[in-house]
Amino acid sequence: MQGLLRSVWDEPRPPGAPHRVWRDWALVAVLVPLVVLEAVVRWSDLHAPVVALVITAGLMPTLLWRRTRPLLMVAIAFGTCAVTPLFTGAEPDMNSLAFMILLPYAVFRWGSGREAVLGLAIMYAKLGLAAALGDISLGEAGGGSVVLFAAMAVGAAVRYRAGARLRELDQAKLLERERLARDLHDTVAHHVSAMAIRAQAGLATAPADPAAATDALRVIEAEATQALAEMRAMVRVLRRGEPAERAPTPRVSDLDQLAGRTRPGPAVEVELVGDVDALPPPVGTAIYRLAQESVTNARRHARHATRIEVRVAVDDAAVRLRVSDDGEATAARQASSSGYGLVGMMERAGLLGGTCEAGPAPDRGWTVTAVLPRTAS
């Protein structure tokens, strides 16, 4: 209980409290003539009508600062009504004072935790003092308590809903950042890594075989063109608001490209089992990206590897991916398993309800396995 009270007391103000806007000025401009009209119509029925008119109209400006200074406005409005009977013998009895119901709402909607607690104390202290002095009956005090509580409850509910909405937006932004990080790592980083590896191989073989430099440039050009196309697709999604599923995305059948291109390093063998073309686009793209990242890691880190095997098997319930190589599981390879690549692969599989694991094989090399449900959306 003490922890709950402490958390309420330390609750900060919600962000984005609007300052005075034209609607606030319009509200005051409409209410002030209504106050004057009520005073004229009920002049003979009011106790100290001049004082009641001046106080009611004078408290109207508290509506202009109710969001930015909610506790101060509550203290001014309810404090003024509390001390008025000391001078006039009775509280202002104008119906227009009903506008003050906006102040308890505002203090719970826009105030900090301590401002809400102090405002609650001020409002109920004023109500209790009026009942004690006989200005209102116990029934009226009870009814006033219910009205105040309802206004504060509505303010707290709107505050909670707005906070939940902000948390949802923050979570959505975080998920979008993670998605962009995965896509950048799995597309651009993949092609850049291929260009770097091919450039290193071209430089190493150029003295003995000058034509190797030309071949390296051709491969680098092809990788750069593919990276640029995928980057443009991502930018189109971000800038134009184009749905991501409409952007060009690779499929499982495109895995043959990993084996078909002229690349340095171990050969890539791709085996597809089952109807891979019938997979939903998100699943097919995820399988492609997982295989692409696994092959890139194998080319980069698998020492003395001669072969990389990529196998995709599709059945009625799931699609299974297995990427293995026959290289050495070096310390550098072990360290790379904790990088962003494997994290992104696990996140990508987890978002579709699947799993992804990577580690050294029992005999030799490195193996990545992933299982995704076929009906994942």
Side-chain angles (χ1 to χ4, degrees):
M1 178 60 72
Q2 184 177 1
L4 177 61
L5 295 177
R6 173 60 63 179
S7 64
V8 171
W9 181 261
D10 295 334
E11 175 76 15
R13 284 187 175 185
H19 292 274
R20 292 171 298 281
V21 296
W22 69 269
R23 293 185 299 272
D24 299 325
W25 294 100
L27 179 61
V28 173
V30 170
L31 290 178
V32 169
L34 292 179
V35 171
V36 176
L37 179 62
E38 180 187 0
V40 172
V41 173
R42 300 182 56 209
W43 189 270
S44 59
D45 298 332
L46 295 175
H47 179 81
V50 176
V51 176
L53 173 60
V54 171
I55 290 177
T56 305
L59 292 178
M60 286 292 177
T62 57
L63 296 177
L64 301 175
W65 285 272
R66 68 185 186 277
R67 302 187 190 94
T68 55
R69 297 291 186 271
L71 179 60
L72 179 60
M73 297 304 103
V74 166
I76 291 175
F78 284 83
T80 300
C81 292
V83 301
T84 298
L86 301 179
F87 301 96
T88 64
E91 289 189 2
D93 51 353
M94 295 190 64
N95 297 328
S96 301
L97 283 172
F99 77 88
M100 289 175 53
I101 199 64
L102 296 175
L103 300 180
Y105 168 86
V107 77
F108 272 75
R109 172 63 181 93
W110 299 109
S112 64
R114 63 190 62 193
E115 287 177 326
V117 173
L118 294 175
L120 176 69
I122 291 173
M123 290 181 287
Y124 277 97
K126 184 268 175 189
L127 199 62
L129 178 63
L133 295 177
D135 295 326
I136 58 175
S137 64
L138 293 179
E140 292 173 334
S145 299
V146 172
V147 173
L148 286 178
F149 180 81
M152 293 183 291
V154 172
V158 174
R159 178 193 188 122
Y160 174 80
R161 183 175 181 180
R165 178 60 177 167
L166 287 177
R167 289 189 293 271
E168 291 177 359
L169 291 176
D170 291 339
Q171 181 67 16
K173 292 177 182 178
L174 177 61
L175 292 176
E176 186 65 13
R177 288 177 59 185
E178 292 176 351
R179 186 187 70 81
L180 290 175
R182 286 193 301 271
D183 289 344
L184 285 172
H185 187 279
D186 294 347
T187 56
V188 179
H190 168 79
H191 295 296
V192 172
S193 297
M195 288 187 285
I197 295 173
R198 195 65 182 92
Q200 293 170 359
L203 291 174
T205 58
D209 184 8
T214 303
D215 294 337
L217 289 175
R218 291 194 182 98
V219 175
I220 291 173
E221 180 188 13
E223 294 288 351
T225 301
Q226 185 67 20
L228 184 59
E230 295 185 357
M231 277 293 295
R232 284 175 174 170
M234 294 178 62
V235 172
R236 187 165 58 249
V237 171
L238 295 175
R239 281 191 172 272
R240 301 180 184 176
E242 177 182 320
E245 61 270 13
R246 295 184 183 176
T249 56
R251 298 173 298 176
V252 176
S253 57
D254 296 327
L255 286 173
D256 291 334
Q257 299 176 4
L258 300 177
R261 293 180 182 177
T262 302
R263 297 173 182 264
V268 179
E269 301 176 3
V270 178
E271 180 184 4
L272 304 179
V273 180
D275 188 6
V276 297
D277 293 330
L279 292 174
V283 178
T285 300
I287 290 294
Y288 179 90
R289 294 304 185 196
L290 294 174
Q292 182 186 51
E293 176 64 17
S294 301
V295 171
T296 299
N297 288 338
R299 289 184 179 277
R300 186 185 303 171
H301 301 294
R303 293 184 56 187
H304 305 143
T306 61
R307 186 181 71 261
I308 302 173
E309 296 180 352
V310 179
R311 187 178 191 274
V312 179
V314 180
D315 56 31
D316 294 337
V319 52
R320 293 172 173 81
L321 168 69
R322 186 177 187 273
V323 181
S324 59
D325 62 73
D326 58 354
E328 297 178 1
T330 61
R333 188 75 181 270
Q334 296 282 355
S336 69
S337 65
S338 60
Y340 295 116
L342 181 58
V343 172
M345 293 166 65
M346 297 174 64
E347 290 176 349
R348 189 182 291 276
L351 287 173
L352 295 176
T355 59
C356 181
E357 298 177 354
D363 48 359
R364 180 181 174 84
W366 194 268
T367 300
V368 176
T369 58
V371 180
L372 302 182
R374 181 168 179 169
T375 58
S377 60

